[in-house]
Amino acid sequence: CKKRLDDEADQAVLDRLVYIIRNENQEYTDEEKRAVKEGKKLHENFKGIEKFKKIFSPDKRVEMKTVHVDGETIVTGIATTVVDASVEECAASQYSGLSSNLIKERAPQRNITSLEVKHVNDHTLYYVTTRDIGFMLTPREGRSKVTWMKEEGGEVVIDISDTKDVMEEYPVKESNHLASSHSVWVFEPLDPIGEIPQTAVSFTTRVDAGGNVPVFAANKNAKNFLSTVSDLRKKFDKSKEIEEYKTGGEIGVARNKIELSLLVDSSELTFERDSKGDRLSLGRGAFGNVLVADYHGTRCAYKEIKPSALSEETKKRFFLELKLVGKLRHPNIAQCLGVVWELGKNGILFEL
């Protein structure tokens, strides 16, 4: 169905960006560097302010705060949480999500009535929106330039700033207000829980909606902006696995049994697809599908293991097979190229 194909397409874009953030150096213009620097400055300036008012967060694991003076147009909001995913996954999810099929589907829930995205390169895009902010107020339009940058310490920053670069291509309607905003995402790596990566996420947004905006309207729209943090947390939520690990479960233990040189990150694989957009399958094995994938330019077979098949007996069979094929080197036997062993993604990679 269309939704499944859309989800798979979004996931493919996400996986590719995770790989880029993790492995590929980016060349930035002076303008892009300045934008990220200003984004970090915004984050630091508001991080320690105590006069923020806490607002109700529907997600108890996300803290939301805002500050707004009644009658003024500027409102600043901050949302913080910890996400059960790597820095690269968090940043890639938020950045690629701006142009995903999912955001288009959920646009009405975000009060977005029109949305256009124009990519510049792997780390910068233009984001053009029109929002209905309700309360009989004039629709607000936004013209933003979005840039992500990975710092030396592993932190990733996404800056979202006003831009005039696309005003000619996307003029503001006479009946609408052009809103001004500056937002920044900061993703900082934390110590993992077992094999589950942890990332501290902070989203700071400063919006000048234009016109006279009452407090209740400002707070409602601020909450809509900040709720994207909750969406990100829920997307990667692994509370069950963490609880299982803390209470002595097997999560993460199995990965330690695999030789380090064999471990492959799932983001390094690109799966071939048929004319319908489905992942190309060579058939089914004892554990699950056998798919065709590209691994750094090498066409290979990926012997998938479905999560539902991961019983203790299946794990024993899997590791027994792995010990054998991982050491075999023979012209008549397909060589094992690596193993993917992550939460929800498990399989062996063979040459074709």
Side-chain angles (χ1 to χ4, degrees), residues 104-226:
K104 294 170 186 173
E105 177 188 323
R106 293 183 176 177
Q109 300 171 30
R110 301 285 185 205
N111 302 320
I112 298 174
T113 57
S114 71
L115 168 65
E116 297 288 341
V117 176
K118 182 178 180 180
H119 290 270
V120 178
N121 49 47
D122 285 336
H123 57 259
T124 293
L125 59 80
Y126 292 111
Y127 192 59
V128 180
T129 60
T130 302
R131 295 175 184 268
D132 179 2
I133 62 175
F135 307 101
M136 299 184 70
L137 297 171
T138 305
R140 266 53 175 180
E141 297 197 25
R143 304 289 182 271
S144 301
K145 191 172 186 177
V146 185
T147 300
W148 65 261
M149 180 182 288
K150 188 173 185 179
E151 306 285 296
E152 288 186 4
E155 173 185 280
V156 177
V157 177
I158 301 178
D159 179 77
I160 307 168
S161 302
D162 291 338
T163 183
K164 295 181 180 179
D165 295 353
V166 291
M167 291 297 285
E168 187 174 329
E169 186 176 355
Y170 300 101
V172 178
K173 290 183 180 178
E174 289 185 10
S175 58
N176 296 347
H177 274 298
L178 178 62
S180 174
S181 67
H182 187 192
S183 302
V184 60
W185 288 85
V186 178
F187 305 97
E188 300 174 271
L190 301 173
D191 291 335
I193 299 176
E195 292 294 328
I196 303 171
Q198 300 287 285
T199 297
V201 176
S202 176
F203 177 53
T204 305
T205 183
R206 191 167 188 268
V207 180
D208 185 344
N212 194 333
V213 182
V215 167
F216 67 87
N219 283 343
K220 182 180 185 299
N221 285 288
K223 189 184 293 186
N224 286 337
F225 273 106
L226 299 178

Side-chain angles (χ1 to χ4, degrees), residues 317-336:
R317 290 171 60 196
F318 175 83
F319 288 117
L320 178 61
E321 180 176 333
L322 188 56
K323 283 181 180 179
L324 295 173
V325 301
K327 297 177 181 179
L328 286 175
R329 296 290 184 276
H330 191 279
N332 295 326
I333 298 176
Q335 184 179 341
C336 173

Side-chain angles (χ1 to χ4, degrees), residues 27 42-43 51 94 126 152 200 210 254 289 310 320 328 341:
E27 295 292 330
L42 176 72
H43 168 68
K51 65 179 180 180
Q94 191 53 40
Y126 292 111
E152 288 186 4
N289 246 336
L310 292 179
L320 178 61
L328 286 175
W341 195 266

